[in-house]
């Protein structure tokens, strides 16, 4: 099965649908994103689609509602968890300070931009 994400005019994911592999094959029997997109557009005329991978094999992240497609990175970016976090090249968000690496539990505190131990 193939998965396709519908994008709005700002490249925000509106929905993700599952498409049978047979509906993504070209005349030669090869799977093709373009054929899958055309199939999605036949179901939902006037829409924009990008293929996504449930296993993360393409476009970094499996698309979810509210994710954004970044055409420069050719990847799906999850919503930014906190304003201070930065987007990495692999379409993941990173805190400005690494979380401590010990056996304690932490949560991010945006006002202080630091990790706070959960007690």
């Amino acid at each position: 099965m193939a998965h396709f994400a519908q994008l709005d005019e700002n490249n925000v994911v509106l929905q993700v649908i599952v498409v049978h592999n047979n509906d993504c094959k070209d005349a030669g029997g090869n799977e093709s994103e373009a054929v899958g997109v055309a199939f999605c557009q036949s179901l939902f005329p006037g829409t924009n689609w990008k293929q996504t991978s449930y296993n993360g094999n393409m476009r970094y992240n499996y698309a979810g509602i509210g994710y954004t497609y970044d055409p420069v990175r050719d990847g799906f970016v999850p919503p930014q968890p906190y304003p201070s976090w930065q987007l990495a090249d692999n379409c993941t968000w990173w805190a400005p300070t690494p979380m401590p690496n010990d056996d304690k539990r932490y949560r991010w505190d945006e006002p202080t931009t630091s990790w706070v131990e959960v007690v």
Side-chain angles (χ1 to χ4, degrees):
M1 299 307 239
H3 299 83
F4 287 83
Q6 181 186 358
L7 309 176
D8 71 7
E9 62 278 356
N10 296 312
N11 285 336
V12 175
V13 176
L14 300 174
Q15 68 172 324
V16 178
I17 64 171
V18 179
V19 174
H20 195 281
N21 290 341
N22 291 341
D23 294 316
C24 299
K25 290 185 179 178
D26 62 18
N30 301 306
E31 286 189 30
S32 163
E33 179 178 11
V35 173
V37 166
F39 176 79
C40 293
Q41 290 172 332
S42 74
L43 298 174
F44 305 94
T47 54
N48 185 22
W49 297 85
K50 289 287 179 185
Q51 189 169 4
T52 185
S53 169
Y54 185 76
N55 297 319
N57 296 347
M58 64 182 342
R59 301 203 164 105
Y60 300 104
N61 298 298
Y62 179 70
I65 294 172
Y67 281 45
T68 302
Y69 172 70
D70 182 332
V72 174
R73 291 180 174 90
D74 189 28
F76 289 102
V77 179
Q80 186 175 12
Y82 299 98
S84 65
W85 288 33
Q86 300 297 312
L87 185 62
D89 289 340
N90 66 354
C91 295
T92 58
W93 293 102
W94 291 92
T97 305
M99 185 170 63
N101 187 11
D102 55 27
D103 290 333
K104 299 175 184 174
R105 292 180 12 156
Y106 294 89
R107 67 171 176 78
W108 182 252
D109 182 57
E110 183 64 16
T112 62
T113 61
S114 63
W115 294 99
V116 176
E117 185 179 353
V118 176
V119 285

